[in-house]
Amino acid sequence: MIKLLTLTFAAVLLLGYIEPSHQQPESAVINRLCWTRWFNRDRASGKGDWESLKLLREEYPGKICRRPVAIQAVTALRETPAEQTRQKFYAYNTRSGFICRNKDQKRGRCFDYKVRFRCPCKFEV
């Protein structure tokens, strides 16, 4: 009985280290979600920090999917999540992108932010 348990345990360990030889179907890869690279097209000068989806798509054609399912924004310098900065945002969504206006801030100036989007790992623009 002990030999059988030892063999079973060894087989489970061995199978855990062997990668399956089959690949995922193409549809599974297409449906998976991935984060884009970080984008930082604007510095918080002038009227604020404008990482709008429209302007990002113009500046980086083909790099952002048609309908992102999520957006993340962090400060460019320390990568502090936007939600933790206590700044007010004019837009922070997957339709408009990220817009921080200087006039909405208590101290009169937005931080410099960078953004990324959650899209299908493989997408067509």
Side-chain angles (χ1 to χ4, degrees):
M1 183 66 163
I2 292 176
K3 284 185 179 181
L4 182 59
L5 284 174
T6 303
L7 285 173
T8 303
F9 182 71
V12 168
L13 282 177
L14 181 63
L15 289 174
Y17 287 106
I18 297 174
E19 278 190 41
S21 60
H22 67 283
Q23 293 182 346
Q24 289 184 334
E26 185 68 21
S27 61
V29 174
I30 291 172
N31 293 327
R32 275 197 354 238
L33 297 174
C34 297
W35 287 104
T36 63
R37 58 167 281 212
W38 289 101
F39 300 100
N40 186 6
R41 60 156 299 280
D42 192 24
R43 307 292 180 259
S45 59
K47 295 183 178 185
D49 193 14
W50 297 73
E51 307 297 340
S52 74
L53 203 46
K54 179 182 183 295
L55 294 173
L56 287 169
R57 284 192 173 123
E58 287 173 9
E59 203 161 316
Y60 302 98
K63 301 297 182 186
I64 303 169
C65 61
R66 283 185 209 149
R67 292 184 198 96
V69 296
I71 180 176
Q72 281 186 337
V74 298
T75 58
L77 186 60
R78 296 199 174 147
E79 297 193 341
T80 303
E83 299 84 359
Q84 295 177 13
T85 64
R86 297 186 180 164
Q87 292 199 319
K88 294 181 181 179
F89 310 116
Y90 180 74
Y92 188 7
N93 59 61
T94 57
R95 286 183 324 281
S96 303
F98 182 85
I99 300 170
C100 180
R101 300 187 308 184
N102 287 338
K103 70 179 184 178
D104 297 332
Q105 309 313 314
K106 287 182 181 179
R107 296 188 180 176
R109 189 169 202 89
C110 295
F111 297 125
D112 182 23
Y113 290 93
K114 60 184 179 180
V115 297
R116 67 181 180 172
F117 299 91
R118 190 99 163 145
C119 290
C121 295
K122 289 187 176 184
F123 63 87
E124 294 179 13
V125 182

